[in-house]
Amino acid sequence: MLKWYKMLTILIAGHTMKLLSFLSLFILPCLVFANDGFGALDAGGIIIGKTDDIAMQKEVLDISYDKIKVDYEFVNESDKDITETIVFPLPPYYVGDPNPAYIGTIPDFKVVVNGQPVKFKTKVRAVTDDENRTETDITQKLRGMGFSDYDIVMAAYNIKKILQDKADILKKNGLLDQDFVYTGGWDIESLWKNYVTYEWKQTFKAHQKLKVSHTYTPLPSSGMSACYINTLLGGDLQSSREGLAKYLCADAKTLDKLDNLAKNDRNWQGYPCLRGADISYILRTANTWKDGIRDFHLILRSKTPDETVSSCFSKSIKQTSPTTYEVKLKNFKPKKDLSVYFGNIDKNAPFTEAKPPVFQ
């Protein structure tokens, strides 16, 4: 997951320092979302497991900067019905990070199975990790210290109060250094990391197909970190061109278009840039299903012909209309994830924000 300062470095390609003073207040980090994974019970809770019985026959992934819709078709190729937990993982984030990727859950997540809406549960797992990145589940420990699941998820919002009110019990349980004294700033280490998932039980009938769809509003990097710049600042040319070409594979035609639009005073919130959005999506979890994705169809949608779309995902992506880009792949076993940059998006579009979780 890219922090705001890394994304800014990517897009402005070497001319970041003069901009940081006025950009940093508007940064929104880039989030990564995932395919559904097959849930397996393991020590510490639900994880993404592996099945050799259920195949993903088809996946249609439809992405715009303000909506993601995914349609799956599964088939149980065994001789018995199988009931398992399906897991949709949200990006993890640290409690104590001064620039958390997000806090809470993504809005408007909906699941439909064979045309019928399905209720899902929100789960949280809190972990600490050591210098070897070995994780220890501390969810039950936090509950024993008086944290509800809601408190655990939303702790990053209340970090100052937690450090003031619970410092002693955090120290007693080894989650805070014994000599730590809170001074009111961000001079702390991360207390723990949160994994939040959406989960539901699903039965796959033997030798039958099952259609699953879900939609949600993504939380893209759509602040100044995704802004396309091509202007003179302090006598120097500040341009996103090189970074966008290198890291998101924008071609010369797209870059020329963005350069021309940026020069035509298409400013956003008073700053000399074009508003953009970066969407990342984890595909590799599809490999938990038998044979990966047998029939994969990716659709990238812009809102207008003047909105640009760039991605390094596949050289086979073709523009099929003024506002759509598509690729179809057979027997697809993803080795990398998907990142898409939407340039020159509506400068008046609202920012999408995470929301507090609801626990059933």
Side-chain angles (χ1 to χ4, degrees), residues 2-178:
L2 295 175
K3 294 290 187 183
W4 64 263
Y5 46 83
K6 293 181 181 178
M7 180 60 71
L8 189 62
T9 302
I10 287 171
L11 290 182
I12 302 179
H15 294 282
T16 61
M17 296 307 295
K18 295 180 181 180
L19 297 172
L20 287 177
S21 61
F22 69 88
L23 296 188
S24 59
L25 295 177
F26 299 90
I27 300 301
L28 289 180
C30 170
L31 294 192
V32 182
F33 295 100
N35 269 314
D36 293 335
F38 197 70
L41 282 172
D42 202 348
I46 297 293
I47 63 170
I48 300 301
K50 174 69 177 174
T51 175
D52 293 319
D53 294 316
I54 302 173
M56 188 188 294
Q57 290 277 58
K58 182 182 295 186
E59 176 181 348
V60 180
L61 175 57
D62 194 321
I63 297 179
S64 60
Y65 73 80
D66 61 355
K67 183 179 181 180
I68 292 180
K69 183 176 188 295
V70 195
D71 295 317
Y72 305 98
E73 185 177 286
F74 298 104
V75 61
N76 178 1
E77 298 183 335
S78 74
D79 295 326
K80 59 183 179 181
D81 295 351
I82 297 175
T83 299
E84 286 290 352
T85 300
I86 305 301
V87 178
F88 183 89
L90 278 66
Y93 61 92
Y94 284 92
V95 173
D97 186 342
N99 293 290
Y102 74 109
I103 302 170
T105 59
I106 58 175
D108 305 323
F109 186 83
K110 296 180 176 64
V111 182
V112 175
V113 176
N114 286 342
Q116 299 298 315
V118 171
K119 292 184 178 181
F120 58 88
K121 293 184 177 181
T122 302
K123 300 288 185 71
V124 60
R125 185 166 66 97
V127 304
T128 57
D129 48 19
D130 59 22
E131 61 274 8
N132 298 317
R133 296 186 177 181
T134 301
E135 295 185 339
T136 301
D137 193 319
I138 62 165
T139 313
Q140 289 300 331
K141 179 182 285 190
L142 288 171
R143 289 169 180 159
M145 294 164 56
F147 287 88
S148 68
D149 285 0
Y150 182 93
D151 294 335
I152 294 171
V153 172
M154 302 303 290
Y157 268 134
N158 304 310
I159 189 66
K160 293 183 179 180
K161 183 172 177 59
I162 288 171
L163 291 173
Q164 290 169 349
D165 298 348
K166 293 185 177 290
D168 290 343
I169 195 169
L170 287 168
K171 291 178 181 180
K172 183 179 179 180
N173 284 271
L175 298 179
L176 198 61
D177 290 340
Q178 293 298 319

Side-chain angles (χ1 to χ4, degrees), residues 205-336:
K205 297 289 186 180
H207 299 292
Q208 292 187 20
K209 293 181 180 180
L210 184 82
K211 293 185 177 181
V212 178
S213 299
H214 61 67
T215 60
Y216 60 90
T217 303
L219 297 170
S221 172
S222 59
M224 295 299 292
S225 61
C227 191
Y228 187 87
I229 293 175
N230 183 44
T231 190
L232 288 172
L233 288 176
D236 296 325
L237 177 64
Q238 311 292 336
S239 177
S240 308
R241 186 181 181 101
E242 181 181 342
L244 192 57
K246 182 176 181 180
Y247 293 99
L248 288 160
C249 298
D251 58 24
K253 181 180 178 181
T254 296
L255 294 169
D256 289 344
K257 183 176 184 177
L258 289 171
D259 281 345
N260 289 330
L261 288 169
K263 288 178 181 178
N264 291 335
D265 199 31
R266 293 287 296 277
N267 292 350
W268 177 59
Q269 291 195 352
Y271 296 102
C273 67
L274 294 173
R275 186 179 176 186
D278 184 84
I279 300 288
S280 294
Y281 193 92
I282 296 174
L283 285 169
R284 288 174 292 172
T285 48
N287 293 317
T288 61
W289 303 91
K290 181 180 180 180
D291 300 331
I293 311 171
R294 292 176 178 172
D295 185 351
F296 179 66
H297 184 188
L298 173 64
I299 306 169
L300 306 176
R301 298 184 188 273
S302 63
K303 299 294 184 181
T304 70
D306 280 341
E307 182 183 308
T308 65
V309 178
S310 305
S311 177
C312 296
F313 174 68
S314 172
K315 294 181 179 179
S316 300
I317 293 179
K318 303 294 183 184
Q319 186 169 4
T320 55
S321 82
T323 57
T324 56
Y325 301 76
E326 300 182 58
V327 62
K328 295 181 180 179
L329 300 172
K330 297 291 187 181
N331 300 315
F332 179 44
K333 296 182 178 181
K335 295 181 179 179
K336 61 181 181 180

